[in-house]
Amino acid sequence: MKIEKVDFGTTKEGTPVDLYVLTNSHGVVAKITNYGGIVTSLILPDKNGKMEDVVLGFDSLSGYLQDDVPYFGAIIGRYGNRIAGGKFSLDGQEYTLAQNNGPNTLHGGLKGFDKRVWQAEEMRSEDGVGVKMHYLSPDGEEGYPGNLSVDVVYTLTDNNELIIEYSATTDKPTVVNLTNHSYFNFTGNTKRDILDHKVMIKADKFVPVDEDLIPTGQLQDVKGTPMDFTNAARVGQSINADHEQIKLGRGYDHTWVLGEPGQMKLAATVYEPATGRYMETHTTEPGVQFYTGNFLNGQMVGKGGVTYDYRYGLCLETQHLPDSPNQPQFPSVALRPGETYSAKTVYKFAVK
Ligand code: GAL
């Protein structure tokens, strides 16, 4: 296993950025930059041993510096997904956040963790090779209270796993919900949309949303709806169904409820029949956002000149439920001084 650090250019402000190339002994490669903690490439074999990239992104930093990049591969924070009205109250204090999605706050605000330069450090352990990212989010950044000290450790193992471990501490009460926004496409080098991928999500309930994709506050049974992935199903099977939640989501763009936070469990599997590539997602998080790239529209030209069209990638963003700061019935996302936020997600790859 090895780690190579290469120059990845400079931001518009002139800050140098690196790319960490992690390689395991099976030749699996994960490339991760300290700009946004972005996983830029993940190169995996298909059932015939053909090595191809299975995530969406760009060949160079300039791609990621464009306006309106839809968070390809990035670390999302301080709060993954939406906070209604860009406001929440905590311990009797109301906070107003940067609104960047209509009236709501999405994925941390105008300049979330996906657009920050992180301090990075190479890591080697018995488990694998990795990179530890650190970011200190100052008190008041994007409206969030407290200096938040965040660590994210990526590890590539010899079992073909990409492990992501998140931790954070604060000096004032705040809210935290970190995730990674990789768009997977297991056809390899993004040959077509993800509608033939077969997905299983181990959840009996999902979080219904309104027209702004804000949770209604209820949980709904998946049974008898197009949201039922308890048995692996082709993504395309019901993605255009005449169903209220499918219409509001423009496809799948919902959180499935996995259970209590803190316990490691299988959340989802993905299988691509043409290549045999298979992924398991395990997590300690209470939810997973299954998003089918419904906002991709052919505007972004990515790696190798491929145009990222409608539904060309799928995300399994392990996280707390959206808008939890305003939904007291959802598991708490509050973090107070003296406490440590921690979460772990394992993406495990194989062929079948
Ligand atoms: C997803 C979110 C979508 C969309 C996307 C970025 O995480 O659920 O609604 O905002 O990010 O384009």
Side-chain angles (χ1 to χ4, degrees), residues 70-71 81-82 101 106-107 181 183 213 253 289 291 295 317:
Y71 309 94
N81 210 279
R82 293 173 176 82
N101 190 243
L106 173 68
H107 293 335
H181 210 303
Y183 288 68
L213 298 169
D253 192 358
Q289 181 82 10
Y291 168 60
F295 292 111
E317 301 157 70

PDB file of all heavy atoms in Angstrom, residues 70-71 81-82 101 106-107 181 183 213 253 289 291 295 317, ligand 1:
ATOM      1  N   PRO A  70     -22.026  20.659  -8.097  1.00  0.00           N
ATOM      2  CA  PRO A  70     -22.969  20.033  -7.151  1.00  0.00           C
ATOM      3  C   PRO A  70     -22.296  19.112  -6.131  1.00  0.00           C
ATOM      4  O   PRO A  70     -22.707  17.970  -5.954  1.00  0.00           O
ATOM      5  CB  PRO A  70     -23.931  19.290  -8.060  1.00  0.00           C
ATOM      6  CG  PRO A  70     -23.133  18.972  -9.274  1.00  0.00           C
ATOM      7  CD  PRO A  70     -22.108  20.057  -9.438  1.00  0.00           C
ATOM      8  N   TYR A  71     -21.266  19.644  -5.478  1.00  0.00           N
ATOM      9  CA  TYR A  71     -20.649  18.979  -4.322  1.00  0.00           C
ATOM     10  C   TYR A  71     -19.996  17.642  -4.654  1.00  0.00           C
ATOM     11  O   TYR A  71     -19.864  16.779  -3.789  1.00  0.00           O
ATOM     12  CB  TYR A  71     -21.680  18.795  -3.193  1.00  0.00           C
ATOM     13  CG  TYR A  71     -22.418  20.061  -2.841  1.00  0.00           C
ATOM     14  CD1 TYR A  71     -23.657  20.365  -3.427  1.00  0.00           C
ATOM     15  CD2 TYR A  71     -21.879  20.979  -1.955  1.00  0.00           C
ATOM     16  CE1 TYR A  71     -24.328  21.545  -3.125  1.00  0.00           C
ATOM     17  CE2 TYR A  71     -22.549  22.154  -1.648  1.00  0.00           C
ATOM     18  CZ  TYR A  71     -23.769  22.425  -2.238  1.00  0.00           C
ATOM     19  OH  TYR A  71     -24.434  23.592  -1.931  1.00  0.00           O
ATOM     20  N   ASN A  81     -27.416  18.570   4.040  1.00  0.00           N
ATOM     21  CA  ASN A  81     -28.805  18.763   3.624  1.00  0.00           C
ATOM     22  C   ASN A  81     -29.372  20.075   4.187  1.00  0.00           C
ATOM     23  O   ASN A  81     -28.622  20.989   4.505  1.00  0.00           O
ATOM     24  CB  ASN A  81     -29.680  17.542   3.922  1.00  0.00           C
ATOM     25  CG  ASN A  81     -30.812  17.427   2.924  1.00  0.00           C
ATOM     26  OD1 ASN A  81     -31.832  18.095   3.061  1.00  0.00           O
ATOM     27  ND2 ASN A  81     -30.628  16.634   1.886  1.00  0.00           N
ATOM     28  N   ARG A  82     -30.700  20.166   4.273  1.00  0.00           N
ATOM     29  CA  ARG A  82     -31.333  21.479   4.434  1.00  0.00           C
ATOM     30  C   ARG A  82     -31.719  21.806   5.874  1.00  0.00           C
ATOM     31  O   ARG A  82     -32.103  20.917   6.636  1.00  0.00           O
ATOM     32  CB  ARG A  82     -32.585  21.546   3.538  1.00  0.00           C
ATOM     33  CG  ARG A  82     -32.208  21.536   2.064  1.00  0.00           C
ATOM     34  CD  ARG A  82     -33.396  21.426   1.128  1.00  0.00           C
ATOM     35  NE  ARG A  82     -32.941  21.508  -0.257  1.00  0.00           N
ATOM     36  CZ  ARG A  82     -32.429  20.468  -0.953  1.00  0.00           C
ATOM     37  NH1 ARG A  82     -32.360  19.269  -0.400  1.00  0.00           N
ATOM     38  NH2 ARG A  82     -32.000  20.634  -2.186  1.00  0.00           N
ATOM     39  N   ASN A 101     -30.353  28.147  -0.773  1.00  0.00           N
ATOM     40  CA  ASN A 101     -31.203  27.223  -1.507  1.00  0.00           C
ATOM     41  C   ASN A 101     -32.627  27.727  -1.320  1.00  0.00           C
ATOM     42  O   ASN A 101     -33.332  27.279  -0.427  1.00  0.00           O
ATOM     43  CB  ASN A 101     -31.007  25.809  -0.929  1.00  0.00           C
ATOM     44  CG  ASN A 101     -31.658  24.726  -1.767  1.00  0.00           C
ATOM     45  OD1 ASN A 101     -32.563  24.037  -1.313  1.00  0.00           O
ATOM     46  ND2 ASN A 101     -31.229  24.561  -3.003  1.00  0.00           N
ATOM     47  N   LEU A 106     -28.512  24.978   2.586  1.00  0.00           N
ATOM     48  CA  LEU A 106     -28.183  23.643   2.069  1.00  0.00           C
ATOM     49  C   LEU A 106     -26.686  23.395   2.220  1.00  0.00           C
ATOM     50  O   LEU A 106     -25.863  24.241   1.834  1.00  0.00           O
ATOM     51  CB  LEU A 106     -28.574  23.559   0.581  1.00  0.00           C
ATOM     52  CG  LEU A 106     -28.154  22.298  -0.172  1.00  0.00           C
ATOM     53  CD1 LEU A 106     -28.904  21.074   0.332  1.00  0.00           C
ATOM     54  CD2 LEU A 106     -28.377  22.453  -1.682  1.00  0.00           C
ATOM     55  N   HIS A 107     -26.348  22.211   2.741  1.00  0.00           N
ATOM     56  CA  HIS A 107     -24.955  21.728   2.751  1.00  0.00           C
ATOM     57  C   HIS A 107     -23.954  22.752   3.292  1.00  0.00           C
ATOM     58  O   HIS A 107     -22.878  22.959   2.725  1.00  0.00           O
ATOM     59  CB  HIS A 107     -24.544  21.304   1.333  1.00  0.00           C
ATOM     60  CG  HIS A 107     -25.285  20.095   0.818  1.00  0.00           C
ATOM     61  ND1 HIS A 107     -25.835  19.143   1.637  1.00  0.00           N
ATOM     62  CD2 HIS A 107     -25.545  19.675  -0.456  1.00  0.00           C
ATOM     63  CE1 HIS A 107     -26.409  18.196   0.898  1.00  0.00           C
ATOM     64  NE2 HIS A 107     -26.256  18.493  -0.365  1.00  0.00           N
ATOM     65  N   HIS A 181     -20.192  13.603  -0.156  1.00  0.00           N
ATOM     66  CA  HIS A 181     -21.145  13.729  -1.256  1.00  0.00           C
ATOM     67  C   HIS A 181     -20.621  13.099  -2.546  1.00  0.00           C
ATOM     68  O   HIS A 181     -20.772  13.674  -3.634  1.00  0.00           O
ATOM     69  CB  HIS A 181     -21.474  15.212  -1.467  1.00  0.00           C
ATOM     70  CG  HIS A 181     -22.843  15.470  -2.002  1.00  0.00           C
ATOM     71  ND1 HIS A 181     -23.285  14.921  -3.192  1.00  0.00           N
ATOM     72  CD2 HIS A 181     -23.868  16.195  -1.518  1.00  0.00           C
ATOM     73  CE1 HIS A 181     -24.526  15.334  -3.413  1.00  0.00           C
ATOM     74  NE2 HIS A 181     -24.908  16.101  -2.413  1.00  0.00           N
ATOM     75  N   TYR A 183     -20.631  11.011  -5.826  1.00  0.00           N
ATOM     76  CA  TYR A 183     -21.604  10.510  -6.807  1.00  0.00           C
ATOM     77  C   TYR A 183     -20.983   9.256  -7.419  1.00  0.00           C
ATOM     78  O   TYR A 183     -19.947   9.345  -8.091  1.00  0.00           O
ATOM     79  CB  TYR A 183     -21.815  11.512  -7.937  1.00  0.00           C
ATOM     80  CG  TYR A 183     -22.578  12.771  -7.594  1.00  0.00           C
ATOM     81  CD1 TYR A 183     -22.043  13.734  -6.744  1.00  0.00           C
ATOM     82  CD2 TYR A 183     -23.813  13.023  -8.183  1.00  0.00           C
ATOM     83  CE1 TYR A 183     -22.725  14.905  -6.469  1.00  0.00           C
ATOM     84  CE2 TYR A 183     -24.504  14.208  -7.919  1.00  0.00           C
ATOM     85  CZ  TYR A 183     -23.957  15.140  -7.057  1.00  0.00           C
ATOM     86  OH  TYR A 183     -24.637  16.306  -6.799  1.00  0.00           O
ATOM     87  N   LEU A 213     -38.129  20.377  -0.508  1.00  0.00           N
ATOM     88  CA  LEU A 213     -37.329  19.256  -0.017  1.00  0.00           C
ATOM     89  C   LEU A 213     -37.017  19.368   1.481  1.00  0.00           C
ATOM     90  O   LEU A 213     -36.001  18.883   1.972  1.00  0.00           O
ATOM     91  CB  LEU A 213     -36.042  19.075  -0.839  1.00  0.00           C
ATOM     92  CG  LEU A 213     -36.288  18.744  -2.320  1.00  0.00           C
ATOM     93  CD1 LEU A 213     -35.003  18.847  -3.137  1.00  0.00           C
ATOM     94  CD2 LEU A 213     -36.882  17.349  -2.478  1.00  0.00           C
ATOM     95  N   ASP A 253     -34.652  11.609  -3.767  1.00  0.00           N
ATOM     96  CA  ASP A 253     -33.858  12.637  -3.091  1.00  0.00           C
ATOM     97  C   ASP A 253     -34.411  12.742  -1.672  1.00  0.00           C
ATOM     98  O   ASP A 253     -34.967  13.765  -1.283  1.00  0.00           O
ATOM     99  CB  ASP A 253     -33.961  13.975  -3.853  1.00  0.00           C
ATOM    100  CG  ASP A 253     -32.937  14.987  -3.361  1.00  0.00           C
ATOM    101  OD1 ASP A 253     -32.195  14.671  -2.414  1.00  0.00           O
ATOM    102  OD2 ASP A 253     -32.894  16.097  -3.934  1.00  0.00           O
ATOM    103  N   GLN A 289     -29.124   9.612   2.837  1.00  0.00           N
ATOM    104  CA  GLN A 289     -29.791  10.336   1.761  1.00  0.00           C
ATOM    105  C   GLN A 289     -29.464   9.619   0.455  1.00  0.00           C
ATOM    106  O   GLN A 289     -28.298   9.527   0.074  1.00  0.00           O
ATOM    107  CB  GLN A 289     -29.267  11.790   1.716  1.00  0.00           C
ATOM    108  CG  GLN A 289     -29.902  12.661   0.652  1.00  0.00           C
ATOM    109  CD  GLN A 289     -31.247  13.246   1.081  1.00  0.00           C
ATOM    110  OE1 GLN A 289     -31.627  13.148   2.240  1.00  0.00           O
ATOM    111  NE2 GLN A 289     -31.954  13.855   0.165  1.00  0.00           N
ATOM    112  N   TYR A 291     -29.772   9.961  -3.285  1.00  0.00           N
ATOM    113  CA  TYR A 291     -30.007  11.036  -4.246  1.00  0.00           C
ATOM    114  C   TYR A 291     -29.555  10.530  -5.609  1.00  0.00           C
ATOM    115  O   TYR A 291     -28.438  10.035  -5.753  1.00  0.00           O
ATOM    116  CB  TYR A 291     -29.233  12.293  -3.818  1.00  0.00           C
ATOM    117  CG  TYR A 291     -29.177  13.369  -4.880  1.00  0.00           C
ATOM    118  CD1 TYR A 291     -30.354  13.943  -5.366  1.00  0.00           C
ATOM    119  CD2 TYR A 291     -27.969  13.801  -5.411  1.00  0.00           C
ATOM    120  CE1 TYR A 291     -30.311  14.915  -6.361  1.00  0.00           C
ATOM    121  CE2 TYR A 291     -27.913  14.775  -6.401  1.00  0.00           C
ATOM    122  CZ  TYR A 291     -29.098  15.322  -6.875  1.00  0.00           C
ATOM    123  OH  TYR A 291     -29.053  16.274  -7.862  1.00  0.00           O
ATOM    124  N   PHE A 295     -30.636  16.697 -10.285  1.00  0.00           N
ATOM    125  CA  PHE A 295     -30.315  18.076 -10.686  1.00  0.00           C
ATOM    126  C   PHE A 295     -29.167  18.118 -11.696  1.00  0.00           C
ATOM    127  O   PHE A 295     -28.800  19.198 -12.160  1.00  0.00           O
ATOM    128  CB  PHE A 295     -29.971  18.935  -9.466  1.00  0.00           C
ATOM    129  CG  PHE A 295     -31.153  19.193  -8.554  1.00  0.00           C
ATOM    130  CD1 PHE A 295     -31.211  18.628  -7.292  1.00  0.00           C
ATOM    131  CD2 PHE A 295     -32.201  19.995  -8.965  1.00  0.00           C
ATOM    132  CE1 PHE A 295     -32.294  18.863  -6.446  1.00  0.00           C
ATOM    133  CE2 PHE A 295     -33.288  20.237  -8.139  1.00  0.00           C
ATOM    134  CZ  PHE A 295     -33.343  19.668  -6.878  1.00  0.00           C
ATOM    135  N   GLU A 317     -25.518   9.420   0.944  1.00  0.00           N
ATOM    136  CA  GLU A 317     -24.934  10.340   1.919  1.00  0.00           C
ATOM    137  C   GLU A 317     -25.411   9.921   3.300  1.00  0.00           C
ATOM    138  O   GLU A 317     -26.568  10.156   3.659  1.00  0.00           O
ATOM    139  CB  GLU A 317     -25.398  11.760   1.626  1.00  0.00           C
ATOM    140  CG  GLU A 317     -25.036  12.265   0.250  1.00  0.00           C
ATOM    141  CD  GLU A 317     -25.970  13.386  -0.188  1.00  0.00           C
ATOM    142  OE1 GLU A 317     -25.898  14.485   0.377  1.00  0.00           O
ATOM    143  OE2 GLU A 317     -26.792  13.172  -1.101  1.00  0.00           O
TER     144      GLU A 317
HETATM  145  C1  GAL B   1     -28.150  16.435  -2.397  1.00  0.00           C
HETATM  146  C2  GAL B   1     -29.508  16.980  -2.085  1.00  0.00           C
HETATM  147  C3  GAL B   1     -30.145  17.423  -3.380  1.00  0.00           C
HETATM  148  C4  GAL B   1     -29.269  18.417  -4.103  1.00  0.00           C
HETATM  149  C5  GAL B   1     -27.866  17.845  -4.230  1.00  0.00           C
HETATM  150  C6  GAL B   1     -26.885  18.836  -4.809  1.00  0.00           C
HETATM  151  O1  GAL B   1     -27.504  16.029  -1.237  1.00  0.00           O
HETATM  152  O2  GAL B   1     -30.272  15.996  -1.448  1.00  0.00           O
HETATM  153  O3  GAL B   1     -31.420  17.960  -3.151  1.00  0.00           O
HETATM  154  O4  GAL B   1     -29.249  19.619  -3.399  1.00  0.00           O
HETATM  155  O5  GAL B   1     -27.368  17.456  -2.995  1.00  0.00           O
HETATM  156  O6  GAL B   1     -27.223  19.216  -6.094  1.00  0.00           O
END
